[in-house]
Amino acid sequence: MTFLLSRTFVSLTLRPSSSSISMANLTTTAKSRLRGVVFDMDGTLTVPVIDFAAMYRSVLGEDEYKRIKAESPTGIDILHHIESWSADKQQKAYETIADFEKQGIDKLQIMPGAAELCGFLDSKKIKRGLITRNVKKAIDIFHQRFEVIFTPALGREFRPYKPNPDPLLHICSTWDIPPNEVMMVGDSLKDDIACGKGAGAFTCLLDETGRYGPDDFSVTGLHPDFKVDSLSKIQHILETNFDLSP
């Protein structure tokens, strides 16, 4: 399957291979400029440790969890789902979510290749930001523990949160860089890729386990510009397909 980048000169061909990396074939010598990269945190910059299925079951109850999962094959948006609940019920739900997130913080590990990729971006003077649906406290701990800083770094305290494009547009505005010179990198099709596409940015889906395929892209209408199975492969994508001049 070939995905055409809507505003650039390159096409992306997804090929099944052991490397699970989707490379763009240049059809002209011109390259689109890239001046900033925005990352998701959980499952992208950090190793996935939160048991989201168990979290959803605890918040929703088994029957409601099964019903919503059957209606939402691309994933459950728990934060949006509980917004319609009463204040008391919402509070209990947030407490449950916070407990699972705390367990995740206790086990926090940086994703292989993340520090190296950030070093490459710094060497090219490419800005890097972060958008997560986790809380700001988790971002602060990530910054302190691994000494890799993202600016701006937005948690779910910034409303509306992903998949709404507003967080990404806010970062672009803060940087004074147009969205079409920014890439959104994340492991969620419905949150990260939707956010990037909605803002008009380039998108790169991190899919370590082969969770997503062409059928998922067709069902959702969300076609990432690039798809990789590790962060270490993004540097080559950037060098091959973009003008990285400051």
PDB file of all heavy atoms in Angstrom, residues 81-120:
ATOM      1  N   HIS A  81     -14.578   9.154  27.756  1.00  0.00           N
ATOM      2  CA  HIS A  81     -15.757   8.373  28.150  1.00  0.00           C
ATOM      3  C   HIS A  81     -16.286   8.818  29.510  1.00  0.00           C
ATOM      4  O   HIS A  81     -17.503   8.924  29.704  1.00  0.00           O
ATOM      5  CB  HIS A  81     -15.418   6.880  28.176  1.00  0.00           C
ATOM      6  CG  HIS A  81     -16.605   6.014  28.450  1.00  0.00           C
ATOM      7  ND1 HIS A  81     -17.522   5.670  27.479  1.00  0.00           N
ATOM      8  CD2 HIS A  81     -17.038   5.431  29.609  1.00  0.00           C
ATOM      9  CE1 HIS A  81     -18.470   4.916  28.020  1.00  0.00           C
ATOM     10  NE2 HIS A  81     -18.195   4.753  29.305  1.00  0.00           N
ATOM     11  N   ILE A  82     -15.397   9.084  30.461  1.00  0.00           N
ATOM     12  CA  ILE A  82     -15.855   9.412  31.808  1.00  0.00           C
ATOM     13  C   ILE A  82     -16.246  10.884  31.975  1.00  0.00           C
ATOM     14  O   ILE A  82     -16.748  11.269  33.031  1.00  0.00           O
ATOM     15  CB  ILE A  82     -14.795   9.035  32.868  1.00  0.00           C
ATOM     16  CG1 ILE A  82     -13.540   9.896  32.708  1.00  0.00           C
ATOM     17  CG2 ILE A  82     -14.468   7.557  32.797  1.00  0.00           C
ATOM     18  CD1 ILE A  82     -12.475   9.612  33.768  1.00  0.00           C
ATOM     19  N   GLU A  83     -16.029  11.693  30.946  1.00  0.00           N
ATOM     20  CA  GLU A  83     -16.368  13.118  31.051  1.00  0.00           C
ATOM     21  C   GLU A  83     -17.859  13.347  31.283  1.00  0.00           C
ATOM     22  O   GLU A  83     -18.255  14.359  31.862  1.00  0.00           O
ATOM     23  CB  GLU A  83     -15.922  13.871  29.797  1.00  0.00           C
ATOM     24  CG  GLU A  83     -14.423  14.156  29.768  1.00  0.00           C
ATOM     25  CD  GLU A  83     -14.026  14.923  28.516  1.00  0.00           C
ATOM     26  OE1 GLU A  83     -14.853  15.007  27.572  1.00  0.00           O
ATOM     27  OE2 GLU A  83     -12.885  15.429  28.484  1.00  0.00           O
ATOM     28  N   SER A  84     -18.687  12.417  30.833  1.00  0.00           N
ATOM     29  CA  SER A  84     -20.139  12.578  30.968  1.00  0.00           C
ATOM     30  C   SER A  84     -20.658  12.046  32.309  1.00  0.00           C
ATOM     31  O   SER A  84     -21.849  12.171  32.607  1.00  0.00           O
ATOM     32  CB  SER A  84     -20.862  11.855  29.823  1.00  0.00           C
ATOM     33  OG  SER A  84     -20.576  10.461  29.851  1.00  0.00           O
ATOM     34  N   TRP A  85     -19.777  11.484  33.131  1.00  0.00           N
ATOM     35  CA  TRP A  85     -20.199  10.925  34.403  1.00  0.00           C
ATOM     36  C   TRP A  85     -20.417  12.023  35.441  1.00  0.00           C
ATOM     37  O   TRP A  85     -19.972  13.160  35.278  1.00  0.00           O
ATOM     38  CB  TRP A  85     -19.153   9.941  34.917  1.00  0.00           C
ATOM     39  CG  TRP A  85     -19.041   8.673  34.122  1.00  0.00           C
ATOM     40  CD1 TRP A  85     -19.708   8.359  32.980  1.00  0.00           C
ATOM     41  CD2 TRP A  85     -18.193   7.566  34.411  1.00  0.00           C
ATOM     42  NE1 TRP A  85     -19.330   7.115  32.532  1.00  0.00           N
ATOM     43  CE2 TRP A  85     -18.406   6.605  33.389  1.00  0.00           C
ATOM     44  CE3 TRP A  85     -17.278   7.279  35.418  1.00  0.00           C
ATOM     45  CZ2 TRP A  85     -17.733   5.385  33.355  1.00  0.00           C
ATOM     46  CZ3 TRP A  85     -16.604   6.061  35.394  1.00  0.00           C
ATOM     47  CH2 TRP A  85     -16.837   5.125  34.375  1.00  0.00           C
ATOM     48  N   SER A  86     -21.097  11.669  36.525  1.00  0.00           N
ATOM     49  CA  SER A  86     -21.291  12.603  37.629  1.00  0.00           C
ATOM     50  C   SER A  86     -19.941  12.935  38.263  1.00  0.00           C
ATOM     51  O   SER A  86     -18.961  12.193  38.098  1.00  0.00           O
ATOM     52  CB  SER A  86     -22.213  11.994  38.689  1.00  0.00           C
ATOM     53  OG  SER A  86     -21.571  10.890  39.317  1.00  0.00           O
ATOM     54  N   ALA A  87     -19.878  14.037  39.000  1.00  0.00           N
ATOM     55  CA  ALA A  87     -18.617  14.480  39.601  1.00  0.00           C
ATOM     56  C   ALA A  87     -18.035  13.417  40.533  1.00  0.00           C
ATOM     57  O   ALA A  87     -16.826  13.146  40.516  1.00  0.00           O
ATOM     58  CB  ALA A  87     -18.840  15.791  40.350  1.00  0.00           C
ATOM     59  N   ASP A  88     -18.880  12.804  41.361  1.00  0.00           N
ATOM     60  CA  ASP A  88     -18.403  11.789  42.300  1.00  0.00           C
ATOM     61  C   ASP A  88     -17.851  10.566  41.570  1.00  0.00           C
ATOM     62  O   ASP A  88     -16.791  10.032  41.931  1.00  0.00           O
ATOM     63  CB  ASP A  88     -19.529  11.359  43.237  1.00  0.00           C
ATOM     64  CG  ASP A  88     -19.887  12.431  44.248  1.00  0.00           C
ATOM     65  OD1 ASP A  88     -19.088  13.387  44.390  1.00  0.00           O
ATOM     66  OD2 ASP A  88     -20.948  12.317  44.892  1.00  0.00           O
ATOM     67  N   LYS A  89     -18.570  10.143  40.544  1.00  0.00           N
ATOM     68  CA  LYS A  89     -18.144   8.971  39.780  1.00  0.00           C
ATOM     69  C   LYS A  89     -16.858   9.266  39.010  1.00  0.00           C
ATOM     70  O   LYS A  89     -15.965   8.414  38.913  1.00  0.00           O
ATOM     71  CB  LYS A  89     -19.261   8.545  38.825  1.00  0.00           C
ATOM     72  CG  LYS A  89     -19.065   7.149  38.228  1.00  0.00           C
ATOM     73  CD  LYS A  89     -20.268   6.752  37.390  1.00  0.00           C
ATOM     74  CE  LYS A  89     -20.050   5.380  36.759  1.00  0.00           C
ATOM     75  NZ  LYS A  89     -21.177   4.979  35.894  1.00  0.00           N
ATOM     76  N   GLN A  90     -16.775  10.483  38.481  1.00  0.00           N
ATOM     77  CA  GLN A  90     -15.554  10.886  37.795  1.00  0.00           C
ATOM     78  C   GLN A  90     -14.365  10.863  38.744  1.00  0.00           C
ATOM     79  O   GLN A  90     -13.286  10.383  38.392  1.00  0.00           O
ATOM     80  CB  GLN A  90     -15.704  12.300  37.224  1.00  0.00           C
ATOM     81  CG  GLN A  90     -16.312  12.375  35.844  1.00  0.00           C
ATOM     82  CD  GLN A  90     -16.161  13.760  35.250  1.00  0.00           C
ATOM     83  OE1 GLN A  90     -15.116  14.375  35.322  1.00  0.00           O
ATOM     84  NE2 GLN A  90     -17.237  14.267  34.669  1.00  0.00           N
ATOM     85  N   GLN A  91     -14.567  11.393  39.947  1.00  0.00           N
ATOM     86  CA  GLN A  91     -13.478  11.450  40.924  1.00  0.00           C
ATOM     87  C   GLN A  91     -12.936  10.062  41.231  1.00  0.00           C
ATOM     88  O   GLN A  91     -11.720   9.845  41.284  1.00  0.00           O
ATOM     89  CB  GLN A  91     -13.966  12.124  42.213  1.00  0.00           C
ATOM     90  CG  GLN A  91     -12.902  12.261  43.293  1.00  0.00           C
ATOM     91  CD  GLN A  91     -11.727  13.105  42.858  1.00  0.00           C
ATOM     92  OE1 GLN A  91     -11.892  14.063  42.092  1.00  0.00           O
ATOM     93  NE2 GLN A  91     -10.540  12.758  43.330  1.00  0.00           N
ATOM     94  N   LYS A  92     -13.841   9.096  41.424  1.00  0.00           N
ATOM     95  CA  LYS A  92     -13.414   7.722  41.697  1.00  0.00           C
ATOM     96  C   LYS A  92     -12.651   7.144  40.501  1.00  0.00           C
ATOM     97  O   LYS A  92     -11.651   6.435  40.668  1.00  0.00           O
ATOM     98  CB  LYS A  92     -14.629   6.854  42.019  1.00  0.00           C
ATOM     99  CG  LYS A  92     -15.288   7.193  43.353  1.00  0.00           C
ATOM    100  CD  LYS A  92     -16.510   6.323  43.607  1.00  0.00           C
ATOM    101  CE  LYS A  92     -17.179   6.690  44.928  1.00  0.00           C
ATOM    102  NZ  LYS A  92     -18.403   5.899  45.172  1.00  0.00           N
ATOM    103  N   ALA A  93     -13.136   7.468  39.296  1.00  0.00           N
ATOM    104  CA  ALA A  93     -12.473   6.974  38.089  1.00  0.00           C
ATOM    105  C   ALA A  93     -11.060   7.550  37.973  1.00  0.00           C
ATOM    106  O   ALA A  93     -10.094   6.824  37.683  1.00  0.00           O
ATOM    107  CB  ALA A  93     -13.295   7.336  36.854  1.00  0.00           C
ATOM    108  N   TYR A  94     -10.923   8.846  38.212  1.00  0.00           N
ATOM    109  CA  TYR A  94      -9.602   9.485  38.146  1.00  0.00           C
ATOM    110  C   TYR A  94      -8.655   8.917  39.200  1.00  0.00           C
ATOM    111  O   TYR A  94      -7.444   8.786  38.961  1.00  0.00           O
ATOM    112  CB  TYR A  94      -9.721  10.994  38.309  1.00  0.00           C
ATOM    113  CG  TYR A  94     -10.211  11.716  37.074  1.00  0.00           C
ATOM    114  CD1 TYR A  94     -11.304  12.576  37.127  1.00  0.00           C
ATOM    115  CD2 TYR A  94      -9.572  11.550  35.842  1.00  0.00           C
ATOM    116  CE1 TYR A  94     -11.758  13.232  35.997  1.00  0.00           C
ATOM    117  CE2 TYR A  94     -10.013  12.202  34.705  1.00  0.00           C
ATOM    118  CZ  TYR A  94     -11.107  13.047  34.786  1.00  0.00           C
ATOM    119  OH  TYR A  94     -11.546  13.697  33.657  1.00  0.00           O
ATOM    120  N   GLU A  95      -9.190   8.584  40.362  1.00  0.00           N
ATOM    121  CA  GLU A  95      -8.352   7.992  41.403  1.00  0.00           C
ATOM    122  C   GLU A  95      -7.834   6.620  40.974  1.00  0.00           C
ATOM    123  O   GLU A  95      -6.673   6.271  41.229  1.00  0.00           O
ATOM    124  CB  GLU A  95      -9.147   7.878  42.708  1.00  0.00           C
ATOM    125  CG  GLU A  95      -9.406   9.219  43.378  1.00  0.00           C
ATOM    126  CD  GLU A  95     -10.343   9.108  44.573  1.00  0.00           C
ATOM    127  OE1 GLU A  95     -10.818   7.970  44.844  1.00  0.00           O
ATOM    128  OE2 GLU A  95     -10.615  10.131  45.227  1.00  0.00           O
ATOM    129  N   THR A  96      -8.695   5.851  40.332  1.00  0.00           N
ATOM    130  CA  THR A  96      -8.278   4.537  39.829  1.00  0.00           C
ATOM    131  C   THR A  96      -7.215   4.692  38.749  1.00  0.00           C
ATOM    132  O   THR A  96      -6.194   3.988  38.755  1.00  0.00           O
ATOM    133  CB  THR A  96      -9.487   3.772  39.260  1.00  0.00           C
ATOM    134  OG1 THR A  96     -10.458   3.575  40.295  1.00  0.00           O
ATOM    135  CG2 THR A  96      -9.061   2.426  38.688  1.00  0.00           C
ATOM    136  N   ILE A  97      -7.454   5.619  37.817  1.00  0.00           N
ATOM    137  CA  ILE A  97      -6.487   5.867  36.747  1.00  0.00           C
ATOM    138  C   ILE A  97      -5.157   6.320  37.333  1.00  0.00           C
ATOM    139  O   ILE A  97      -4.083   5.848  36.925  1.00  0.00           O
ATOM    140  CB  ILE A  97      -7.034   6.923  35.766  1.00  0.00           C
ATOM    141  CG1 ILE A  97      -8.240   6.343  35.003  1.00  0.00           C
ATOM    142  CG2 ILE A  97      -5.956   7.374  34.783  1.00  0.00           C
ATOM    143  CD1 ILE A  97      -9.001   7.365  34.189  1.00  0.00           C
ATOM    144  N   ALA A  98      -5.214   7.227  38.323  1.00  0.00           N
ATOM    145  CA  ALA A  98      -3.992   7.739  38.944  1.00  0.00           C
ATOM    146  C   ALA A  98      -3.206   6.627  39.620  1.00  0.00           C
ATOM    147  O   ALA A  98      -1.963   6.624  39.609  1.00  0.00           O
ATOM    148  CB  ALA A  98      -4.337   8.831  39.951  1.00  0.00           C
ATOM    149  N   ASP A  99      -3.912   5.655  40.202  1.00  0.00           N
ATOM    150  CA  ASP A  99      -3.235   4.540  40.862  1.00  0.00           C
ATOM    151  C   ASP A  99      -2.467   3.700  39.849  1.00  0.00           C
ATOM    152  O   ASP A  99      -1.308   3.321  40.095  1.00  0.00           O
ATOM    153  CB  ASP A  99      -4.255   3.679  41.606  1.00  0.00           C
ATOM    154  CG  ASP A  99      -3.600   2.548  42.372  1.00  0.00           C
ATOM    155  OD1 ASP A  99      -2.742   2.835  43.217  1.00  0.00           O
ATOM    156  OD2 ASP A  99      -3.937   1.375  42.115  1.00  0.00           O
ATOM    157  N   PHE A 100      -3.075   3.417  38.719  1.00  0.00           N
ATOM    158  CA  PHE A 100      -2.386   2.663  37.664  1.00  0.00           C
ATOM    159  C   PHE A 100      -1.205   3.466  37.121  1.00  0.00           C
ATOM    160  O   PHE A 100      -0.129   2.902  36.850  1.00  0.00           O
ATOM    161  CB  PHE A 100      -3.358   2.318  36.532  1.00  0.00           C
ATOM    162  CG  PHE A 100      -4.151   1.069  36.775  1.00  0.00           C
ATOM    163  CD1 PHE A 100      -5.368   1.117  37.440  1.00  0.00           C
ATOM    164  CD2 PHE A 100      -3.689  -0.166  36.344  1.00  0.00           C
ATOM    165  CE1 PHE A 100      -6.119  -0.030  37.665  1.00  0.00           C
ATOM    166  CE2 PHE A 100      -4.425  -1.328  36.557  1.00  0.00           C
ATOM    167  CZ  PHE A 100      -5.640  -1.262  37.228  1.00  0.00           C
ATOM    168  N   GLU A 101      -1.396   4.763  36.960  1.00  0.00           N
ATOM    169  CA  GLU A 101      -0.312   5.608  36.442  1.00  0.00           C
ATOM    170  C   GLU A 101       0.851   5.667  37.428  1.00  0.00           C
ATOM    171  O   GLU A 101       2.017   5.693  37.020  1.00  0.00           O
ATOM    172  CB  GLU A 101      -0.836   6.999  36.133  1.00  0.00           C
ATOM    173  CG  GLU A 101      -1.766   7.021  34.912  1.00  0.00           C
ATOM    174  CD  GLU A 101      -2.416   8.368  34.688  1.00  0.00           C
ATOM    175  OE1 GLU A 101      -2.507   9.169  35.642  1.00  0.00           O
ATOM    176  OE2 GLU A 101      -2.842   8.626  33.540  1.00  0.00           O
ATOM    177  N   LYS A 102       0.548   5.688  38.716  1.00  0.00           N
ATOM    178  CA  LYS A 102       1.613   5.697  39.723  1.00  0.00           C
ATOM    179  C   LYS A 102       2.430   4.409  39.644  1.00  0.00           C
ATOM    180  O   LYS A 102       3.667   4.436  39.751  1.00  0.00           O
ATOM    181  CB  LYS A 102       1.035   5.853  41.128  1.00  0.00           C
ATOM    182  CG  LYS A 102       2.099   5.929  42.213  1.00  0.00           C
ATOM    183  CD  LYS A 102       1.478   6.040  43.591  1.00  0.00           C
ATOM    184  CE  LYS A 102       2.586   6.162  44.652  1.00  0.00           C
ATOM    185  NZ  LYS A 102       3.531   5.027  44.623  1.00  0.00           N
ATOM    186  N   GLN A 103       1.737   3.300  39.441  1.00  0.00           N
ATOM    187  CA  GLN A 103       2.454   2.039  39.283  1.00  0.00           C
ATOM    188  C   GLN A 103       3.375   2.107  38.067  1.00  0.00           C
ATOM    189  O   GLN A 103       4.491   1.575  38.077  1.00  0.00           O
ATOM    190  CB  GLN A 103       1.466   0.885  39.126  1.00  0.00           C
ATOM    191  CG  GLN A 103       0.613   0.619  40.363  1.00  0.00           C
ATOM    192  CD  GLN A 103      -0.440  -0.436  40.112  1.00  0.00           C
ATOM    193  OE1 GLN A 103      -0.165  -1.460  39.491  1.00  0.00           O
ATOM    194  NE2 GLN A 103      -1.663  -0.208  40.587  1.00  0.00           N
ATOM    195  N   GLY A 104       2.900   2.775  37.007  1.00  0.00           N
ATOM    196  CA  GLY A 104       3.713   2.943  35.805  1.00  0.00           C
ATOM    197  C   GLY A 104       4.934   3.803  36.072  1.00  0.00           C
ATOM    198  O   GLY A 104       6.042   3.510  35.588  1.00  0.00           O
ATOM    199  N   ILE A 105       4.757   4.883  36.851  1.00  0.00           N
ATOM    200  CA  ILE A 105       5.874   5.761  37.189  1.00  0.00           C
ATOM    201  C   ILE A 105       6.936   5.008  37.978  1.00  0.00           C
ATOM    202  O   ILE A 105       8.140   5.181  37.770  1.00  0.00           O
ATOM    203  CB  ILE A 105       5.369   6.988  37.978  1.00  0.00           C
ATOM    204  CG1 ILE A 105       4.556   7.915  37.044  1.00  0.00           C
ATOM    205  CG2 ILE A 105       6.531   7.750  38.604  1.00  0.00           C
ATOM    206  CD1 ILE A 105       3.869   9.044  37.779  1.00  0.00           C
ATOM    207  N   ASP A 106       6.492   4.161  38.894  1.00  0.00           N
ATOM    208  CA  ASP A 106       7.430   3.384  39.708  1.00  0.00           C
ATOM    209  C   ASP A 106       8.312   2.473  38.850  1.00  0.00           C
ATOM    210  O   ASP A 106       9.453   2.169  39.217  1.00  0.00           O
ATOM    211  CB  ASP A 106       6.670   2.545  40.736  1.00  0.00           C
ATOM    212  CG  ASP A 106       5.971   3.401  41.795  1.00  0.00           C
ATOM    213  OD1 ASP A 106       6.364   4.577  41.946  1.00  0.00           O
ATOM    214  OD2 ASP A 106       5.039   2.895  42.444  1.00  0.00           O
ATOM    215  N   LYS A 107       7.774   2.040  37.699  1.00  0.00           N
ATOM    216  CA  LYS A 107       8.510   1.119  36.824  1.00  0.00           C
ATOM    217  C   LYS A 107       9.090   1.828  35.597  1.00  0.00           C
ATOM    218  O   LYS A 107       9.531   1.179  34.646  1.00  0.00           O
ATOM    219  CB  LYS A 107       7.571   0.005  36.343  1.00  0.00           C
ATOM    220  CG  LYS A 107       6.928  -0.800  37.455  1.00  0.00           C
ATOM    221  CD  LYS A 107       5.904  -1.775  36.882  1.00  0.00           C
ATOM    222  CE  LYS A 107       5.158  -2.523  37.970  1.00  0.00           C
ATOM    223  NZ  LYS A 107       4.096  -3.397  37.408  1.00  0.00           N
ATOM    224  N   LEU A 108       9.107   3.150  35.607  1.00  0.00           N
ATOM    225  CA  LEU A 108       9.438   3.943  34.437  1.00  0.00           C
ATOM    226  C   LEU A 108      10.811   3.596  33.855  1.00  0.00           C
ATOM    227  O   LEU A 108      11.811   3.570  34.566  1.00  0.00           O
ATOM    228  CB  LEU A 108       9.408   5.428  34.806  1.00  0.00           C
ATOM    229  CG  LEU A 108       9.257   6.432  33.664  1.00  0.00           C
ATOM    230  CD1 LEU A 108       7.916   6.249  32.971  1.00  0.00           C
ATOM    231  CD2 LEU A 108       9.381   7.857  34.218  1.00  0.00           C
ATOM    232  N   GLN A 109      10.830   3.329  32.551  1.00  0.00           N
ATOM    233  CA  GLN A 109      12.068   3.075  31.815  1.00  0.00           C
ATOM    234  C   GLN A 109      12.028   3.863  30.521  1.00  0.00           C
ATOM    235  O   GLN A 109      10.989   3.925  29.861  1.00  0.00           O
ATOM    236  CB  GLN A 109      12.221   1.592  31.473  1.00  0.00           C
ATOM    237  CG  GLN A 109      12.245   0.638  32.637  1.00  0.00           C
ATOM    238  CD  GLN A 109      12.315  -0.800  32.158  1.00  0.00           C
ATOM    239  OE1 GLN A 109      13.203  -1.178  31.396  1.00  0.00           O
ATOM    240  NE2 GLN A 109      11.370  -1.614  32.596  1.00  0.00           N
ATOM    241  N   ILE A 110      13.163   4.443  30.156  1.00  0.00           N
ATOM    242  CA  ILE A 110      13.213   5.169  28.899  1.00  0.00           C
ATOM    243  C   ILE A 110      13.264   4.174  27.747  1.00  0.00           C
ATOM    244  O   ILE A 110      13.873   3.098  27.855  1.00  0.00           O
ATOM    245  CB  ILE A 110      14.423   6.128  28.858  1.00  0.00           C
ATOM    246  CG1 ILE A 110      14.280   7.112  27.691  1.00  0.00           C
ATOM    247  CG2 ILE A 110      15.734   5.362  28.794  1.00  0.00           C
ATOM    248  CD1 ILE A 110      15.253   8.270  27.758  1.00  0.00           C
ATOM    249  N   MET A 111      12.613   4.508  26.650  1.00  0.00           N
ATOM    250  CA  MET A 111      12.559   3.613  25.497  1.00  0.00           C
ATOM    251  C   MET A 111      13.934   3.525  24.826  1.00  0.00           C
ATOM    252  O   MET A 111      14.608   4.547  24.662  1.00  0.00           O
ATOM    253  CB  MET A 111      11.530   4.128  24.482  1.00  0.00           C
ATOM    254  CG  MET A 111      11.315   3.221  23.292  1.00  0.00           C
ATOM    255  SD  MET A 111      10.438   1.690  23.708  1.00  0.00           S
ATOM    256  CE  MET A 111       8.732   2.276  23.781  1.00  0.00           C
ATOM    257  N   PRO A 112      14.374   2.329  24.448  1.00  0.00           N
ATOM    258  CA  PRO A 112      15.639   2.205  23.716  1.00  0.00           C
ATOM    259  C   PRO A 112      15.645   3.104  22.482  1.00  0.00           C
ATOM    260  O   PRO A 112      14.677   3.142  21.726  1.00  0.00           O
ATOM    261  CB  PRO A 112      15.671   0.719  23.323  1.00  0.00           C
ATOM    262  CG  PRO A 112      14.857   0.036  24.376  1.00  0.00           C
ATOM    263  CD  PRO A 112      13.754   1.008  24.713  1.00  0.00           C
ATOM    264  N   GLY A 113      16.720   3.823  22.311  1.00  0.00           N
ATOM    265  CA  GLY A 113      16.863   4.705  21.160  1.00  0.00           C
ATOM    266  C   GLY A 113      16.384   6.120  21.392  1.00  0.00           C
ATOM    267  O   GLY A 113      16.666   7.014  20.595  1.00  0.00           O
ATOM    268  N   ALA A 114      15.664   6.358  22.510  1.00  0.00           N
ATOM    269  CA  ALA A 114      15.103   7.690  22.750  1.00  0.00           C
ATOM    270  C   ALA A 114      16.191   8.725  23.001  1.00  0.00           C
ATOM    271  O   ALA A 114      16.184   9.813  22.401  1.00  0.00           O
ATOM    272  CB  ALA A 114      14.128   7.653  23.927  1.00  0.00           C
ATOM    273  N   ALA A 115      17.129   8.415  23.879  1.00  0.00           N
ATOM    274  CA  ALA A 115      18.187   9.377  24.202  1.00  0.00           C
ATOM    275  C   ALA A 115      19.047   9.663  22.976  1.00  0.00           C
ATOM    276  O   ALA A 115      19.421  10.824  22.725  1.00  0.00           O
ATOM    277  CB  ALA A 115      19.052   8.841  25.347  1.00  0.00           C
ATOM    278  N   GLU A 116      19.347   8.630  22.204  1.00  0.00           N
ATOM    279  CA  GLU A 116      20.170   8.811  21.007  1.00  0.00           C
ATOM    280  C   GLU A 116      19.452   9.671  19.976  1.00  0.00           C
ATOM    281  O   GLU A 116      20.065  10.541  19.337  1.00  0.00           O
ATOM    282  CB  GLU A 116      20.528   7.452  20.405  1.00  0.00           C
ATOM    283  CG  GLU A 116      21.442   6.602  21.263  1.00  0.00           C
ATOM    284  CD  GLU A 116      20.733   5.866  22.391  1.00  0.00           C
ATOM    285  OE1 GLU A 116      19.482   5.970  22.499  1.00  0.00           O
ATOM    286  OE2 GLU A 116      21.421   5.177  23.171  1.00  0.00           O
ATOM    287  N   LEU A 117      18.151   9.441  19.803  1.00  0.00           N
ATOM    288  CA  LEU A 117      17.383  10.237  18.852  1.00  0.00           C
ATOM    289  C   LEU A 117      17.339  11.696  19.287  1.00  0.00           C
ATOM    290  O   LEU A 117      17.479  12.610  18.467  1.00  0.00           O
ATOM    291  CB  LEU A 117      15.971   9.676  18.716  1.00  0.00           C
ATOM    292  CG  LEU A 117      15.015  10.429  17.793  1.00  0.00           C
ATOM    293  CD1 LEU A 117      15.585  10.552  16.371  1.00  0.00           C
ATOM    294  CD2 LEU A 117      13.645   9.741  17.751  1.00  0.00           C
ATOM    295  N   CYS A 118      17.160  11.923  20.582  1.00  0.00           N
ATOM    296  CA  CYS A 118      17.140  13.302  21.094  1.00  0.00           C
ATOM    297  C   CYS A 118      18.493  13.976  20.884  1.00  0.00           C
ATOM    298  O   CYS A 118      18.565  15.164  20.556  1.00  0.00           O
ATOM    299  CB  CYS A 118      16.766  13.310  22.569  1.00  0.00           C
ATOM    300  SG  CYS A 118      15.023  12.914  22.864  1.00  0.00           S
ATOM    301  N   GLY A 119      19.577  13.216  21.058  1.00  0.00           N
ATOM    302  CA  GLY A 119      20.905  13.769  20.803  1.00  0.00           C
ATOM    303  C   GLY A 119      21.074  14.171  19.352  1.00  0.00           C
ATOM    304  O   GLY A 119      21.664  15.217  19.050  1.00  0.00           O
ATOM    305  N   PHE A 120      20.542  13.355  18.444  1.00  0.00           N
ATOM    306  CA  PHE A 120      20.605  13.697  17.020  1.00  0.00           C
ATOM    307  C   PHE A 120      19.808  14.964  16.731  1.00  0.00           C
ATOM    308  O   PHE A 120      20.276  15.853  16.012  1.00  0.00           O
ATOM    309  CB  PHE A 120      20.061  12.532  16.184  1.00  0.00           C
ATOM    310  CG  PHE A 120      19.828  12.882  14.749  1.00  0.00           C
ATOM    311  CD1 PHE A 120      20.892  13.015  13.870  1.00  0.00           C
ATOM    312  CD2 PHE A 120      18.535  13.096  14.259  1.00  0.00           C
ATOM    313  CE1 PHE A 120      20.680  13.354  12.537  1.00  0.00           C
ATOM    314  CE2 PHE A 120      18.312  13.433  12.950  1.00  0.00           C
ATOM    315  CZ  PHE A 120      19.383  13.569  12.079  1.00  0.00           C
TER     316      PHE A 120
END
